[in-house]
Amino acid sequence: MRSVSTNTDHAAQCASRRGLRREATRQLVGLLSLGAGMALLGCTPNLAPESEELDDVHPQTMFDRLVKKDLVRDCGVCHAIAQGSVMPFLTMGQEYQAITAYKGGAFLTDPVIQSLLLQKGQHAGPPLAPVQADAVKAWLEAEVATRPGMNKSGLMPTVPLQDGEFNMSFETIAPVLDPLANLTFSLKEEGNRIFRVSQLKLTAGPGTGIRLKHPRFYFLSAKGTSLDPADTLVSVDLTVAAGKTATVGGGTVLLTQAPETNRARIGIAFELLERVNPMGMMELKCKAFNLFNPPVKNELQPCAQSCHAPGRNNTANGAFNMEASLSSDEKTLQQFCLNTLGRVDRAAPRNSILIKQITPAAQGGTPNHPYKQGDANALARFTNAVDAWAKGEK
Ligand code: HEC
């Protein structure tokens, strides 16, 4: 990956990876129909845009790129508007929102094969062609796997299946849990379709203890989702007290049947994930807010302006939505401070995932983050700001 030198370049990089100029991003995002979207969103230069190898298997991206065009063409004539008592589920310009929210998520069944969208068949409209049905099924599987529900990890972000250090924040399922809670692990490819997860740890935030039962990895690719067949953590029942970190199971899981694609992601589902002994109505707040805002917050603004905000890049936004960095509302910024703190190692701030993601791998950074800060001064400025703030939060 090209390394770049300034924050402005950072923004331009994310936008240009999608073939969009930064200024144009906002206006265009809403207009991307599949045909144009395939070309414009072709993030990865070495992949043909029509390739099945989606570089981003975020459910919304899968919908936009694999499913939407066909549904709009073959079903949209009727289903963009109500059909008798059947409410519209392909509302023009809001197809994704409409189809996922239809009858309170009625199409998102588990198992997916029971979805009425796949089962409808010939009616006043045509049945889905087999190849369309496969694409719809793969998209629905990703959708269902990453939503809260039975045996689900809720909206915990998935991560790319590749070597690296990862941090899954519970922020998106707060307040169910705690924005400072997270699950961390390393991933290393050991052979064809074999990956080793190691140092799998659960950290509970200061607000509540957490109990988790039977965590299970699942794979996500453009072809659908599948559970890790080995299921080695089946007997794990772990409770971690507020503010503590514990290793999950033996801390290691061998994933043996990764999808045959280098564009897959993994997520974790749980049989049970719940709060234990929450600290009452204690209001969580950053202690050293003045060391976060403005110094750290300002450094994160270009990240929000490039990739890490809704409508910019689904994967980056799913991993860490930084849109709040652009706000001037005190409460919003306080919450953002907490959410950011969830990506900081307060015991060893320079080891924080927040810093490692943009640090070049050769200098101890993660191998997996697509953007690296190539300007040593800018990196030092960021690292020092995070370090000073994290010390204040101890
Ligand atoms: C010519 C108009 C027309 C087209 C085109 C059409 N439909 Fe329909 N669809 C209807 C009508 C009318 C109904 C309501 C009556 C019924 O359920 O059969 C309906 C109902 C449905 C329902 C049931 C919704 C519910 O909550 O009961 C689904 C699912 C559905 N259509 C899927 C599709 C899909 C997928 C396509 C494209 C492959 C499609 N339709 C194309 C007219 C159409």
Side-chain angles (χ1 to χ4, degrees):
M1 190 56 58
R2 178 169 76 105
S3 79
V4 290
S5 51
T6 67
N7 284 333
T8 321
D9 283 354
H10 178 185
Q13 187 191 20
C14 191
S16 72
R17 291 178 80 224
R18 293 177 285 157
L20 298 174
R21 277 185 306 118
R22 181 177 154 204
E23 305 75 48
T25 309
R26 249 192 201 292
Q27 299 91 292
L28 272 169
V29 167
L31 301 174
L32 291 176
S33 66
L34 187 74
M38 289 282 265
L40 286 167
L41 290 168
C43 286
T44 318
N46 55 351
L47 279 179
E50 67 276 13
S51 166
E52 275 194 344
E53 296 277 301
L54 273 187
D55 55 323
D56 174 1
V57 290
H58 186 285
Q60 185 169 355
T61 312
M62 290 174 73
F63 177 80
D64 287 344
R65 293 171 62 180
L66 299 175
V67 171
K68 185 169 139 186
K69 185 176 109 192
D70 284 6
L71 289 189
V72 166
R73 189 192 54 218
D74 297 341
C75 324
V77 236
C78 298
H79 291 296
I81 51 174
Q83 296 295 314
S85 62
V86 171
M87 296 307 285
F89 56 80
L90 290 167
T91 314
M92 215 204 292
Q94 293 175 41
E95 292 84 358
Y96 182 74
Q97 289 75 5
I99 203 165
T100 51
Y102 180 70
K103 284 190 186 163
F107 289 149
L108 313 178
T109 53
D110 187 9
V112 158
I113 196 68
Q114 288 171 358
S115 174
L116 190 53
L117 206 50
L118 291 167
Q119 294 295 336
K120 186 65 184 170
Q122 181 74 52
H123 60 301
L128 287 169
V131 48
Q132 293 172 334
D134 283 349
V136 169
K137 180 165 171 287
W139 156 61
L140 285 173
E141 284 181 350
E143 204 65 68
V144 170
T146 50
R147 280 175 189 257
M150 296 173 305
N151 305 344
K152 287 293 147 41
S153 54
L155 295 169
M156 266 178 80
T158 57
V159 303
L161 186 63
Q162 63 180 62
D163 288 7
E165 288 171 43
F166 298 95
N167 177 320
M168 288 179 176
S169 166
F170 288 99
E171 170 199 324
T172 44
I173 42 178
V176 179
L177 288 164
D178 184 320
L180 299 188
N182 54 46
L183 202 64
T184 51
F185 57 91
S186 300
L187 199 57
K188 184 133 189 62
E189 185 165 9
E190 293 202 339
N192 182 30
R193 302 178 63 198
I194 301 177
F195 284 80
R196 183 177 296 277
V197 174
S198 60
Q199 293 182 295
L200 179 62
K201 288 181 186 161
L202 172 67
T203 297
T208 179
I210 293 178
R211 175 178 176 208
L212 66 75
K213 248 179 103 169
H214 186 186
R216 189 168 185 185
F217 285 89
Y218 63 87
F219 302 107
L220 209 62
S221 77
K223 296 235 162 76
T225 62
S226 57
L227 284 163
D228 163 35
D231 197 15
T232 32
L233 300 173
V234 60
S235 57
V236 166
D237 184 347
L238 174 70
T239 299
V240 180
K244 296 276 188 279
T245 297
T247 299
V248 178
T252 301
V253 178
L254 200 61
L255 304 171
T256 52
Q257 294 191 29
E260 288 182 72
T261 156
N262 54 0
R263 298 288 164 198
R265 297 179 72 81
I266 58 170
I268 306 183
F270 303 94
E271 191 181 318
L272 178 84
L273 188 62
E274 65 180 9
R275 297 165 155 237
V276 174
N277 295 331
M279 311 299 270
M281 292 313 292
M282 176 180 106
E283 196 194 357
L284 280 182
K285 266 189 127 165
C286 276
K287 285 184 255 178
F289 185 62
N290 62 327
L291 292 175
F292 175 78
N293 181 34
V296 176
K297 178 209 76 178
N298 285 359
E299 296 284 334
L300 299 178
Q301 286 177 335
C303 316
Q305 283 158 336
S306 52
C307 299
H308 285 273
R312 307 267 172 181
N313 176 301
N314 291 331
T315 305
N317 180 56
F320 188 7
N321 175 355
M322 306 191 199
E323 190 172 49
S325 67
L326 305 171
S327 168
S328 51
D329 175 60
E330 185 82 6
K331 254 186 105 173
T332 306
L333 287 169
Q334 255 294 350
Q335 185 60 47
F336 182 54
C337 185
L338 281 178
N339 293 347
T340 310
L341 194 57
R343 277 96 176 166
V344 166
D345 182 341
R346 274 170 285 173
R350 285 169 192 272
N351 269 334
S352 299
I353 193 84
L354 189 65
I355 294 173
K356 283 183 162 181
Q357 289 291 51
I358 64 157
T359 303
Q363 295 163 43
T366 56
N368 47 283
H369 194 253
Y371 166 76
K372 294 293 179 188
Q373 178 55 276
D375 177 339
N377 290 329
L379 185 61
R381 189 182 67 223
F382 179 62
T383 305
N384 291 337
V386 172
D387 189 50
W389 164 55
K391 282 178 176 143
E393 294 288 350
K394 252 194 184 159

